[in-house]
Amino acid sequence: MFLLHVALQGCLRADNVEYGLTADTGGHIRYLLDLVKASSAAGPVRRTVIATRGFESDLGAEYAPAPVRAEAGVEILRLATRSPHYLPKEELWAETESFAEGLIAWIEAQGQRPDMLHAHYADAASVAAIVEDRLGIPFVFTAHSLGRVKADVMGARAAEVPHLGKRIEIEEAAIRRASLVITSSRDEAEVQYAGYAGYDPGRIRILPPGSDLSRFGAATACPEVEASINRFLSEPDKPVLLALARPVAKKNLCALVRAFGENAELRQRANLVIMAGNRQDLAALDGEMAGEIREILCLIDRYDLYGQVAYPKTHRPDDVAAIYAYARDRRGVFVNPALNEPFGLTLLEASAVGLPLVATDSGGPNDIIEMCGNGELVDPQSTQAIAEGALRILRDPALWDRYAKAGAKAVAAYNWSRHATRYHELLQSLLAQRPETIAPRPDQLLICDIDNTLVGCDIGVRRFSQWRSEQEGMVFGVATGRSFHSAMSILEQRDAPRPQVMITSVGSEIYHLDANGTTYTADPDWRAIVQRGWNRQAVLRALKGLPGLQPQAALEQRAFKLSYFSDGDREITARVRARLEVAGLQCSVIHSHGRYLDILPVRASKGTAVDFVRRRYGLPENAVFVAGDSGNDIEMLRTIPQAIIVANFSDDLASLPALSHSYVARATHARGVIEGVLHFRNKARSAWQSAR
């Protein structure tokens, strides 16, 4: 496989990238270089080339237009465009046609064409679309950051950003056109992209970036780094709040300074250390970065924080591990207050060193902290929330120890080798265009819950995958409380077989595998059914303030699902139903694991969704198997005669009269599913033989 990456933005080079040199020289370059190195080191990739924009400037002669050349083991092509100068991302749309012409000429001169393009940022997707039109080479798309998110955060000030509307228009086109959209987090896949008219959940995949965290795990302090920080501080041995980010508005560093300056306890307990890129002369920075640095300096003066805040002008890439170690050795906290963080590489690095986190609740940090359990999520718009998040950790030594230790999970969870393997599988699947084998007239349907049913035992998943491959004529699907992207991520992480049908968000959404065997399409007929009579806002009003209920995070809410945490009271379901009845609302109320409570349209449940899929395939009830383990599986298990309860069930499923027809497996998880299917098949075979 020959992969061609297209990335026009920033000052891209293969080694010693000067992050922060310009506002667009940031984490997307680190992501791209790490992806290319991991992708080239393993798998089916024969050749990888990065095509970027060449320009003349005083930023460095190495960025000038040049033919393909190897730089630190990476092949980079630097193409000239209409303008010879460095341009910020908001102005690159005017260069895409000339860049595309140069790229097409280069491709046509090659002995072999690339199999796939990977476009980084929407301007690159515009280039890739032109290439696809002319040469037929498909492309996948990674946005890295989105203009509509920036506009939402900035509010009325968004009108001041040059060409932001044009950027959003180009992103819309990229989302509609790409064969697959690759994101880093659930927030990106389910919240950020959802604001676009071309949003299509089934063509988005979450692939958390890996990271080479080996050098961070053994990080030690460095005298030069200590000296560069300590010269600012009156009490250099105090714990520190550490931030490391480019000085641009979306990184929200000024809010962190305000949070520190406004909170006397925080100032008493800690120092603040801000590593805001590199600068020799403030006047030489581009407009946005210069403005942010000036604002930081003004805030330090306003709150009279001299001796309590360190703000070194420069640091080398090789210093970063030692900077984290400086904060860890003082039992400090790493803070990422970004208005939105698409992923959060610095969070992984800090975690690997052993630093607890305080991070924005907008973007990738949700996934990282959920996965690792190593910090606090806060509202980046609230300086009080930022300060309180840091204080919760600084006040509690046991909590600091727990978060610091939990950071080790980041090293195992975010691995470039695993990322590259999944990346290659997706690209090869798209190129092969081979659908999963579905019999023209399937004769059976198996629908499993995911958590603690299909997954939960790695050996069981491997056994199930092998067994599934042997089941001719069977359609395999999942039914889960998870969202589509959350479900797909856990299935791919556990190497589970790819379902032909995905019933997600507790039955409120149904997706079908497309003919290419890779992407999915939401079922419009099911959507039309569940939305009848559903009044989401009225449900929210009816349940507001009900004791024992706490809304789950925004990421867990769906168009046809409202999700709460309950206090575990057995009467909570009855109280919720009573509130809804008083308001004249008919809804499904599902309580599971004694903690999770979901409100759905009355027509939506796993049971009704399974029955809808059964009828779609034209199958009788006795050709359908369902398997589950908990309370949110009850409707599905109750509806279908051939119901399987795996041995590791919860919520007293096996004793419920409504489920007396179910088969309770002796085996747990996926092996229990296989056992149940074989039980019902044997039972049917015996009945048929007796009838003869």
Side-chain angles (χ1 to χ4, degrees):
M1 186 161 50
F2 178 4
L3 298 180
L4 176 59
H5 293 268
V6 185
L8 282 68
Q9 296 186 16
C11 298
L12 190 156
R13 63 188 191 192
D15 200 18
N16 293 319
V17 177
E18 295 185 70
Y19 296 107
L21 180 63
T22 69
D24 300 328
T25 305
H28 78 282
I29 293 177
R30 173 72 178 276
Y31 169 98
L32 172 56
L33 294 174
D34 284 348
L35 171 60
V36 166
K37 291 172 183 176
S39 180
S40 301
V45 178
R46 298 186 311 277
R47 187 184 183 193
T48 304
V49 174
I50 299 174
T52 191
R53 182 172 174 270
F55 53 86
E56 305 286 351
S57 78
D58 57 5
L59 295 170
E62 64 268 40
Y63 304 118
V68 170
R69 64 188 181 204
E71 301 179 16
V74 178
E75 287 191 87
I76 298 181
L77 169 66
R78 300 183 187 278
L79 293 170
T81 62
R82 188 179 65 173
S83 171
H85 308 297
Y86 177 82
L87 295 173
K89 61 176 173 282
E90 286 79 13
E91 299 178 26
L92 286 176
W93 60 272
E95 307 299 305
T96 54
E97 288 192 16
S98 57
F99 188 97
E101 291 301 325
L103 186 59
I104 289 169
W106 180 84
I107 291 172
E108 291 184 319
Q110 303 305 297
Q112 187 173 17
R113 290 182 175 183
D115 296 294
M116 179 76 73
L117 270 61
H118 188 157
H120 300 266
Y121 275 104
D123 44 42
S126 296
V127 170
I130 295 172
V131 173
E132 185 175 30
D133 286 339
R134 296 266 287 277
L135 304 181
I137 303 172
F139 72 94
V140 297
F141 172 51
T142 298
H144 295 284
S145 70
L146 290 165
R148 192 173 294 283
V149 174
K150 183 173 185 176
D152 290 344
V153 167
M154 295 187 71
R157 293 184 295 121
E160 303 168 11
V161 180
H163 307 299
L164 183 57
K166 182 67 176 179
R167 174 183 171 183
I168 293 170
E169 176 188 329
I170 294 169
E171 288 169 349
E172 283 279 14
I175 292 166
R176 292 179 186 276
R177 183 64 182 271
S179 295
L180 192 72
V181 177
I182 297 175
T183 69
S184 296
S185 68
R186 280 186 63 206
D187 182 86
E188 191 179 356
E190 297 180 1
V191 178
Q192 297 176 40
Y193 276 97
Y196 287 79
Y199 178 61
D200 183 352
R203 290 192 304 107
I204 297 176
R205 279 295 200 286
I206 301 171
L207 285 183
S211 184
D212 181 7
L213 301 175
S214 56
R215 67 189 178 98
F216 295 98
T220 58
C222 165
E224 290 80 7
V225 167
E226 295 218 356
S228 72
I229 296 173
N230 287 348
R231 64 193 177 92
F232 290 89
L233 304 173
S234 301
E235 300 178 70
D237 293 331
K238 289 170 65 173
V240 300
L241 306 182
L242 171 65
L244 194 155
R246 289 173 294 132
V248 291
K250 67 182 181 181
K251 296 301 183 182
N252 208 28
L253 294 175
C254 291
L256 176 58
V257 180
R258 292 190 190 95
F260 185 76
E262 293 166 358
N263 193 294
E265 182 184 355
L266 197 55
R267 296 196 307 273
Q268 185 273 326
R269 288 182 177 273
N271 291 319
L272 176 61
V273 176
I274 298 178
M275 312 299 290
N278 291 286
R279 62 189 185 279
Q280 296 300 327
D281 185 339
L282 183 58
L285 291 176
D286 72 14
E288 182 181 13
M289 292 198 295
E292 287 297 303
I293 292 292
R294 288 192 181 96
E295 179 66 13
I296 288 170
L297 296 177
C298 287
L299 290 168
I300 290 170
D301 189 74
R302 180 184 305 166
Y303 294 111
D304 194 16
L305 301 177
Y306 298 103
Q308 296 177 283
V309 180
Y311 42 97
K313 293 174 65 173
T314 62
H315 65 277
R316 301 172 303 158
D318 290 344
D319 293 335
V320 173
I323 293 168
Y324 292 130
Y326 175 94
R328 177 202 61 203
D329 294 347
R330 287 160 178 76
R331 294 179 68 83
V333 177
F334 183 75
V335 185
N336 180 333
L339 295 172
N340 177 268
E341 183 61 67
F343 178 58
L345 180 60
T346 55
L347 295 173
L348 296 182
E349 294 172 348
S351 299
V353 172
L355 270 176
L357 309 177
V358 170
T360 175
D361 65 0
S362 178
N366 284 279
D367 292 1
I368 292 172
I369 289 180
E370 179 184 13
M371 171 76 72
C372 302
N374 61 337
E376 302 281 332
L377 292 168
V378 297
D379 178 358
Q381 305 276 9
S382 168
T383 57
Q384 182 179 352
I386 295 170
E388 283 298 323
L391 283 170
R392 277 193 292 275
I393 301 172
L394 294 174
R395 289 169 182 155
D396 188 342
L399 184 62
W400 191 97
D401 290 339
R402 177 157 64 86
Y403 283 166
K405 184 177 180 181
K409 295 180 182 177
V411 178
Y414 294 91
N415 178 278
W416 268 119
S417 176
R418 181 165 180 79
H419 176 101
T421 297
R422 293 177 61 202
Y423 175 69
H424 295 153
E425 288 172 351
L426 284 171
L427 297 190
Q428 287 184 304
S429 179
L430 286 171
L431 291 170
Q433 293 286 296
R434 288 194 304 269
E436 295 288 310
T437 302
I438 304 178
R441 292 183 179 178
D443 50 35
Q444 290 187 324
L445 170 67
L446 168 62
I447 303 288
C448 297
D449 176 47
I450 296 178
D451 293 279
N452 296 313
T453 301
L454 184 62
V455 305
C457 170
D458 291 342
I459 295 174
V461 172
R462 289 195 293 272
R463 174 71 185 94
F464 182 88
S465 296
Q466 176 60 39
W467 177 82
R468 164 73 189 103
S469 69
E470 300 165 355
Q471 307 306 304
E472 295 184 7
M474 173 183 277
V475 173
F476 165 60
V478 295
T480 177
R482 290 177 178 267
S483 67
F484 171 83
H485 296 106
S486 177
M488 185 57 63
S489 290
I490 195 70
L491 291 171
E492 291 181 344
Q493 288 167 15
R494 298 294 186 270
D495 295 321
R498 186 169 295 162
Q500 282 90 30
V501 179
M502 294 187 66
I503 297 169
T504 63
S505 299
V506 203
S508 61
E509 300 170 9
I510 298 176
Y511 297 84
H512 301 282
L513 186 65
D514 293 332
N516 62 23
T518 305
T519 58
Y520 287 78
T521 297
D523 194 311
D525 295 332
W526 181 245
R527 181 183 180 91
I529 289 170
V530 299
Q531 71 182 4
R532 291 204 300 267
W534 171 246
N535 189 331
R536 192 175 189 278
Q537 292 303 314
V539 174
L540 282 170
R541 289 193 297 270
L543 298 182
K544 186 176 181 180
L546 181 66
L549 278 191
Q550 178 68 33
Q552 293 183 34
L555 196 57
E556 305 306 325
Q557 313 301 334
R558 309 294 295 166
F560 303 113
K561 178 174 76 75
L562 290 169
S563 293
Y564 296 84
F565 293 115
S566 81
D567 60 5
D569 188 332
R570 288 180 176 270
E571 300 302 317
I572 188 65
T573 302
R575 295 206 306 272
V576 168
R577 287 189 173 125
R579 274 282 186 104
L580 295 173
E581 187 176 340
V582 167
L585 299 168
Q586 285 190 312
C587 303
S588 292
V589 181
I590 299 172
H591 195 213
S592 59
H593 297 289
R595 175 167 171 75
Y596 305 107
L597 192 140
D598 297 306
I599 314 294
L600 305 162
V602 70
R603 295 175 178 83
S605 72
K606 287 185 179 181
T608 54
V610 170
D611 196 57
F612 175 87
V613 171
R614 174 188 70 78
R615 287 183 280 108
R616 192 177 191 273
Y617 281 108
L619 294 171
E621 285 190 344
N622 62 6
V624 181
F625 310 96
V626 293
D629 72 287
S630 71
N632 69 11
D633 300 316
I634 290 174
E635 285 298 311
M636 175 175 72
L637 296 169
R638 181 180 62 80
T639 304
I640 302 300
Q642 298 185 135
I644 304 159
I645 300 174
V646 293
N648 54 294
F649 65 85
S650 61
D651 298 328
D652 299 323
L653 290 194
S655 63
L656 297 178
L659 304 184
S660 59
H661 63 283
S662 301
Y663 174 76
V664 182
R666 295 184 297 275
T668 66
H669 304 96
R671 285 181 289 189
V673 176
I674 298 171
E675 178 189 328
V677 172
L678 296 179
H679 164 80
F680 283 115
R681 282 178 175 170
N682 290 333
K683 184 177 179 181
R685 189 178 299 112
S686 297
W688 180 78
Q689 290 173 344
S690 298
R692 291 182 65 191

